[in-house]
Amino acid sequence: MTNSIEEIEFTDVILATGTNTTENHPVISSRIKRAVRQRGAKLIVIDPREIDLVKYATLWLRQKPGTDVAVLNGMMNVIIEEGIYAKEYVENRTEGFEALKKVVEKYTPEYVEKISGVPVEDLKKAARLYAGAEKASLLYAMGMTQHITGTDNVKSCANLAMLCGKVGIEGGGVNPLRGQNNVQGACDMGALPNVFPAYQSVISDEARVKFEKAWGATLSAKPGKTVVEIAEAAHRGEIKAIYVMGENPLLSDPDITHVEAAFKHLDLLVVQDIFLTETARLADVVLPSACFAEKDGTFTNTERRVQRIRKAVPAPGQAKADWQIISDLSTKMGYPMSYASAEEIMKEIALVTPSYAGITYERIEKEGLQWPCPNTGHPGTRFLHKDRFSRGRGLFHAIEYIPPAELPDRDYPMILSTGRVLYHYHTGTMTRLAKGTMERCPESLVEIHPLDAERLGIQSGQIVKVTSRRGTLQAKAKVTTRSDAGMIFMNFHFHEAAVNLLTNPALDPIGKIPEYKVCAVRVEAA
Amino acid sequence: MGKTVPLTIDGKDVEAASGQTILEVAREQGIYIPTLCHYSRTTNVGACRVCVVEVEKAKSLVASCCMPVSPGMIIKTDSPRVKAARKLIVELLWASGDHNCLNCEQNGACELQNLIYWLEIEKPRFPIEHPGYDIEKTNTMIQRDLNKCILCGRCIRACNEIQVNEILDFSQRGSRAKVGPAFDTDYIDSDCYFCGECADACPVGAITFKQARFAGRPWEVKKVKTTCTYCGVGCQMDLNVHDNRIVKVTGNRAYEQPNEGSLCIKGRFGLDFISHPDRLTTPLIRKKKGGELVPATWDEAYGFISQRLFAIKKKTGPDSIAGLSSARCTNEENYLFQKFMRAVIGTNHVDHCARL
Ligand code: SF4
Ligand code: SF4
Ligand code: SF4
Ligand code: FES
């Protein structure tokens, strides 16, 4: 997030798009709801589903899945047309405005209505409300990123926010809400194929020399492969060994069958986890690890706040903290790592990671610090881009709308969208073992609109068969108007109804994120 | 900051900020006034009246949590009249419910119990009237025993004003008043999200965590502050540990950012996995393809992995090896993992699964 969680409560307008906040980031949703109920803030929801936030919204734009760029361009069209954009800000702090203006010109509200189904008047109202606010916070999550145009969607959000001068101010910003507790930290720490910690590029000689010196090793200048590319390379036999720490890609990957075949191909699969997951079952070596309550360390939350976790209970049996396992293995392989504690590792992190340079366990004992925190006297950073953008001027990207990779046709006439529910998390390995969450949500349901249900002769609770070009599965139907006619929604928490047997592995060319939000399916009574 | 308000509290002249309540000023001055229904960051409703104080020239005692200060106020927080009133109120509360502490989960952490002790009440002067409600045990997470409810309304305000889940309300007024979801249903039959905010807010043993029942007394339980393992909000929470087991998870409003003590069902009730019998407890090795995974020692496992990795690296180069790190592991672990892949293996094929 460019801004902080707390600021959401004290802003004037909240634009929430592609985030089902009450289910996926419940505690942030309380901020939104308090802003609306107690402080008179206005909420604009852009989402194909009638999510709970709609109850609190001033305006709800129900776009067709995957038409986000068109909707955002349409808002910008209105804002530029009516001359209500932040002219001074655009002049002084950004570049590329003319190109943007040219592209959004054709996204008139009428044209956008044709693409997205959002009524002309609603689009205009939303545009005016957002642009006219003194402070406005834009929130988004996986509903924006899990498309082949994910990167375009994100850039369009940034375009809109910059056009209206909403970046670099308290209560403003472009704020991605991260799905998993430490995505932010994993990225910051360089668990990415193209960068070292703090996004220092592996192709930069300067960065590489720095890390070669710090680590006493020769480093590769060739950017690596992303997770989906790794699976493909394994399938082709180019990758022979994979070491997986704490993930279950077999269930979270698009197109499970393909990944399973790829993993079975490997000469060596090492899986380090707390359970014998679907992926671990295929492994040659399984290493038992400690969970978050059994070790010390830090997580970095979605607002860049570095916070402690603390050991509360002992790990079962011989299980060890992941950092201990890596250290031991590395030492065994002739590269000694002899950290006595997680804190010692953080000291090393601070030395090579400029944005974490001021972070010490002592300083975050009471309350976490938000990076950038460049030295030990620095209070941390509540919101980014205050006086300038990291690159100097904020760059507008002129972006055209591209439809989803797979649209409904005669054989597969409906859209399947996937996501999470409040009661479960990711592939369910943890929440499905909890009595409480299972009591509230014991199985996967196929959300289907009453009109479709009637046409297909389906009732709530009945088993239905869902088929895509890639696979088929069965699950119980839930007839509801939450999802629009022509669209069904399923979660991916249940391996019995592994929705990624159906999803389309088409990737966003830059973000390499699969299009989990739109694929074409056929639904029938089973 | 507006102008200041001069006043006298327990004989001391102080300057308060305008708009402050008497209670706030007293707390700043280190003067203890008991409260029950007051719950910070929610509306002051003045329901319980245990916070009453005497204000010179005011006809009756005033509820300090609701009363804003005004210039020249002379306040007494501990006069005989105040003491008598508090005592009466607390005795009434005691008598109005089934406050049998013997097996109550809140014993030792109950605000009513503490108040009775502090006020040195031997026993209430009124006969105890058991309300006769059934204990709500219809879900596995939250247990409600409204026989202990003192109708402070904190749960209602926690649900509506903090979480804004808008589930709880008073169902009737007066002596038949009762708190709960609409139509007096059980939590499990309502739209309740099981965030547990109401249980954290309840000052007595009326709303408690069911799975912590008989799992450890408050004074036996150690609270360990940590960060939730689920979503990216990164809520700060207390793991309540007894006998090396996590018996419940509580919020702590003193922790401030990012969640100010609020949690959701996942962080609150989603941690059973930690002590699940299916946890992996020993390394496993599959010696031959197609064979079984069998238990091994750490040394065998490390030996097996390093031997294979060396062989593969030698034969097809470091770029034939890849690592998947995790958005669920710590920063320290992600750092070491990528360092291992880059410095020890020699490849940049390292990613995590959060794109998925
Ligand atoms: S658990 Fe949460 S949603 Fe349910 S009644 Fe309590 S505060 Fe409201
Ligand atoms: S249940 Fe607890 S918090 Fe709610 S009104 Fe009764 S005593 Fe107060
Ligand atoms: S308690 Fe809920 S909202 Fe808070 S971090 Fe955990 S999963 Fe997210
Ligand atoms: S605390 Fe003031 S009336 Fe209850």
Side-chain angles (χ1 to χ4, degrees):
Chain A
M1 288 169 72
T2 60
N3 289 55
S4 296
I5 292 171
E6 187 186 11
E7 291 168 43
I8 296 169
E9 193 171 342
F10 302 95
T11 191
D12 304 322
V13 168
I14 298 163
L15 172 62
T17 172
T19 158
N20 182 6
T21 329
T22 56
E23 300 204 55
N24 296 329
H25 302 90
V27 170
I28 290 184
S29 81
S30 294
R31 299 262 186 198
I32 301 175
K33 295 186 280 184
R34 293 206 291 263
V36 171
R37 289 281 197 260
Q38 293 161 23
R39 303 184 189 278
K42 300 273 185 290
L43 171 65
I44 306 166
V45 173
I46 308 181
D47 204 291
R49 289 170 72 219
E50 190 172 359
I51 52 176
D52 280 355
L53 272 188
V54 169
K55 269 202 312 229
Y56 301 81
T58 304
L59 274 170
W60 170 36
L61 311 188
R62 179 177 231 174
Q63 86 280 34
K64 291 193 188 124
T67 60
D68 307 274
V69 168
V71 173
L72 294 166
N73 276 351
M75 285 177 70
M76 289 187 268
N77 174 292
V78 174
I79 290 164
I80 295 173
E81 187 64 29
E82 299 189 355
I84 50 174
Y85 63 99
K87 298 191 187 75
E88 216 171 290
Y89 185 97
V90 168
E91 176 85 8
N92 296 333
R93 295 203 49 189
T94 66
E95 62 192 47
F97 175 68
E98 286 308 320
L100 174 81
K101 187 172 165 189
K102 216 165 145 228
V103 163
V104 303
E105 224 155 60
K106 79 164 179 277
Y107 291 87
T108 59
E110 293 72 21
Y111 179 56
V112 171
E113 176 168 348
K114 276 203 205 96
I115 299 172
S116 69
V118 172
V120 168
E121 275 317 306
D122 287 353
L123 189 82
K124 286 186 178 167
K125 275 191 214 151
R128 290 173 194 144
L129 189 56
Y130 178 80
E134 193 183 320
K135 295 182 284 186
S137 176
L138 191 156
L139 311 176
Y140 71 85
M142 299 289 209
M144 280 278 116
T145 53
Q146 291 178 337
H147 291 280
I148 51 158
T149 57
T151 307
D152 287 350
N153 290 349
V154 170
K155 285 180 177 163
S156 300
C157 289
N159 283 344
L160 175 66
M162 287 196 300
L163 180 67
C164 300
K166 305 288 193 267
V167 185
I169 59 167
E170 173 110 31
V174 181
N175 300 300
L177 308 180
R178 308 284 185 179
Q180 298 184 51
N181 59 334
N182 203 29
V183 188
Q184 185 65 54
C187 295
D188 297 347
M189 292 299 109
L192 290 169
N194 55 342
V195 291
F196 295 117
Y199 310 96
Q200 303 171 78
S201 171
V202 297
I203 58 170
S204 143
D205 291 336
E206 195 192 325
R208 219 171 43 253
V209 168
K210 173 179 155 181
F211 280 96
E212 287 187 339
K213 231 169 96 192
W215 295 345
T218 316
L219 301 175
S220 164
K222 205 171 106 201
K225 295 186 191 304
T226 63
V227 45
V228 179
E229 291 168 338
I230 289 171
E232 278 164 10
H235 207 260
R236 289 195 303 268
E238 286 163 30
I239 295 236
K240 310 272 185 209
I242 299 184
Y243 180 2
V244 185
M245 172 175 82
E247 285 288 359
N248 188 12
L250 207 61
L251 213 58
S252 54
D253 229 84
D255 206 351
I256 296 174
T257 348
H258 188 80
V259 183
E260 184 167 351
F263 277 33
K264 284 187 171 155
H265 241 78
L266 294 167
D267 289 347
L268 178 68
L269 176 63
V270 179
V271 176
Q272 184 168 313
D273 211 314
I274 60 174
F275 288 112
L276 197 64
T277 60
E278 287 76 6
T279 310
R281 273 179 235 280
L282 299 180
D284 301 289
V285 185
V286 178
L287 303 175
S289 57
C291 78
F292 85 110
E294 297 152 356
K295 63 188 178 189
D296 291 320
T298 58
F299 290 150
T300 303
N301 80 350
T302 191
E303 53 168 0
R304 299 167 277 105
R305 192 183 294 278
V306 184
Q307 310 190 103
R308 279 295 312 277
I309 60 165
R310 292 177 183 80
K311 181 169 175 163
V313 289
Q318 301 176 46
K320 290 192 214 179
D322 292 292
W323 63 266
Q324 275 172 325
I325 302 174
I326 307 164
S327 302
D328 291 352
L329 180 62
S330 181
T331 306
K332 189 91 182 180
M333 289 181 69
Y335 184 99
M337 289 189 185
S338 50
Y339 305 97
S341 64
E343 185 171 13
E344 267 183 30
I345 305 170
M346 182 50 86
K347 284 185 184 146
E348 180 176 322
I349 293 172
L351 289 179
V352 295
T353 315
S355 47
Y356 282 63
I359 290 172
T360 65
Y361 275 25
E362 204 188 332
R363 292 193 72 201
I364 59 171
E365 179 60 28
K366 271 224 166 81
E367 194 175 42
L369 282 165
Q370 290 172 283
W371 67 257
C373 181
N375 58 65
T376 49
H378 194 279
T381 307
R382 274 165 55 84
F383 63 93
L384 303 176
H385 316 304
K386 185 156 182 237
D387 302 307
R388 66 187 290 278
F389 288 91
S390 343
R391 66 181 293 280
R393 277 171 174 268
L395 181 63
F396 285 115
H397 294 267
I399 292 167
E400 293 279 3
Y401 161 69
I402 303 168
E406 188 181 74
L407 284 171
D409 54 21
R410 228 187 49 214
D411 296 335
Y412 301 95
M414 297 186 73
I415 290 180
L416 163 70
S417 217
T418 71
R420 300 164 196 251
V421 300
L422 170 65
Y423 303 102
H424 291 287
Y425 177 74
H426 216 54
T427 60
T429 44
M430 303 193 293
T431 43
R432 289 195 54 190
L433 298 180
K435 263 196 240 153
T437 45
M438 282 305 277
E439 178 177 34
R440 216 49 177 148
C441 177
E443 62 191 337
S444 189
L445 295 172
V446 179
E447 252 181 44
I448 183 164
H449 192 276
L451 287 175
D452 294 319
E454 201 192 312
R455 182 170 50 82
L456 298 164
I458 290 166
Q459 277 162 6
S460 270
Q462 188 180 339
I463 305 283
V464 295
K465 190 164 137 206
V466 186
T467 312
S468 81
R469 286 190 174 77
R470 291 151 296 275
T472 179
L473 60 74
Q474 301 202 346
K476 262 190 207 161
K478 180 180 174 185
V479 178
T480 162
T481 53
R482 246 165 111 84
S483 290
D484 211 350
M487 173 186 166
I488 62 169
F489 174 86
M490 289 189 73
N491 71 64
F492 62 96
H493 308 298
F494 292 83
H495 60 80
E496 303 86 336
V499 72
N500 290 339
L501 290 167
L502 308 178
T503 47
N504 186 357
L507 294 185
D508 169 49
I510 299 160
K512 312 278 184 189
I513 297 176
E515 187 149 60
Y516 285 149
K517 296 298 177 203
V518 189
C519 77
V521 293
R522 183 172 64 233
V523 182
E524 56 216 317
Chain B
M1 281 275 97
K3 44 185 188 323
T4 58
V5 180
L7 54 89
T8 309
I9 182 161
D10 288 350
K12 196 165 150 200
D13 293 332
V14 301
E15 297 281 331
S18 82
Q20 271 189 309
T21 61
I22 296 176
L23 179 66
E24 283 161 353
V25 175
R27 290 201 169 159
E28 268 176 27
Q29 295 299 322
I31 297 168
Y32 174 66
I33 299 176
T35 57
L36 279 174
C37 70
H38 170 76
Y39 199 56
S40 62
R41 297 187 211 128
T42 67
T43 318
N44 286 315
V45 290
C48 74
R49 297 192 60 83
V50 305
C51 69
V52 288
V53 294
E54 198 172 331
V55 174
E56 213 162 87
K57 298 206 188 92
K59 274 201 289 300
S60 49
L61 298 175
V62 303
S64 64
C65 68
C66 299
M67 178 64 75
V69 291
S70 54
M73 256 185 180
I74 300 174
I75 303 158
K76 287 192 196 124
T77 71
D78 214 20
S79 68
R81 223 176 122 203
V82 169
K83 280 186 182 157
R86 276 178 193 155
K87 241 179 156 152
L88 177 72
I89 292 160
V90 171
E91 285 179 47
L92 279 168
L93 287 176
W94 183 351
S96 70
D98 172 35
H99 296 290
N100 172 4
C101 306
L102 289 174
N103 63 358
C104 178
E105 277 309 318
Q106 282 293 92
N107 181 15
C110 172
E111 295 182 29
L112 180 65
Q113 191 191 57
N114 287 344
L115 210 47
I116 288 169
Y117 197 86
W118 183 74
L119 292 171
E120 300 177 13
I121 304 172
E122 290 289 358
K123 72 180 212 265
R125 68 194 86 157
F126 314 100
I128 292 176
E129 282 174 44
H130 193 296
Y133 295 124
D134 288 337
I135 298 179
E136 180 180 324
K137 291 183 177 175
T138 42
N139 73 78
T140 61
M141 295 169 272
I142 294 175
Q143 177 163 322
R144 289 198 311 153
D145 178 359
L146 293 184
N147 299 305
K148 299 188 188 310
C149 172
I150 56 169
L151 296 172
C152 67
R154 271 158 64 160
C155 55
I156 296 174
R157 278 171 284 135
C159 186
N160 295 304
E161 299 182 22
I162 297 174
Q163 288 274 346
V164 203
N165 284 340
E166 303 176 342
I167 302 299
L168 298 180
D169 203 348
F170 286 109
S171 60
Q172 288 173 52
R173 301 276 154 179
S175 64
R176 293 299 306 156
K178 202 174 163 192
V179 296
F183 312 114
D184 205 5
T185 57
D186 285 2
Y187 274 26
I188 197 72
D189 301 319
S190 75
D191 289 333
C192 169
Y193 299 87
F194 289 92
C195 64
E197 190 88 34
C198 53
D200 272 347
C202 183
V204 296
I207 309 180
T208 53
F209 296 107
K210 178 127 184 261
Q211 290 162 35
R213 185 81 180 122
F214 300 122
R217 301 291 218 173
W219 58 88
E220 296 171 323
V221 163
K222 187 176 86 198
K223 292 190 176 188
V224 181
K225 178 183 179 184
T226 196
T227 306
C228 175
T229 185
Y230 287 114
C231 86
V233 182
C235 290
Q236 299 298 290
M237 50 166 62
D238 281 330
L239 301 180
N240 292 235
V241 180
H242 180 48
D243 273 346
N244 281 332
R245 213 170 66 79
I246 296 168
V247 296
K248 66 176 172 182
V249 178
T250 45
N252 188 328
R253 307 176 91 210
Y255 294 162
E256 297 288 330
Q257 299 308 317
N259 55 312
E260 298 177 346
S262 292
L263 298 172
C264 81
I265 182 172
K266 290 187 281 286
R268 176 89 67 183
F269 297 111
L271 300 188
D272 298 2
F273 75 89
I274 295 172
S275 55
H276 197 277
D278 288 352
R279 283 286 302 273
L280 288 167
T281 54
T282 161
L284 305 170
I285 300 183
R286 193 190 313 274
K287 295 255 165 59
K288 280 200 311 284
K289 286 277 167 197
E292 290 285 307
L293 279 168
V294 291
T297 66
W298 277 106
D299 273 340
E300 285 168 332
Y302 291 143
F304 187 92
I305 298 168
S306 57
Q307 198 193 352
R308 292 284 183 100
L309 284 178
F310 275 130
I312 292 168
K313 189 171 158 181
K314 200 161 153 212
K315 200 165 145 211
T316 41
D319 279 341
S320 60
I321 301 171
L324 296 180
S325 193
S326 171
R328 305 207 309 244
C329 291
T330 63
N331 289 327
E332 290 78 358
E333 289 157 348
N334 276 285
Y335 172 81
L336 279 199
F337 190 83
Q338 59 90 37
K339 181 177 174 182
F340 175 82
M341 292 309 295
R342 293 189 157 116
V344 184
I345 303 292
T347 180
N348 283 315
H349 292 332
V350 50
D351 198 5
H352 60 275
C353 296
R355 297 166 198 270
L356 307 175

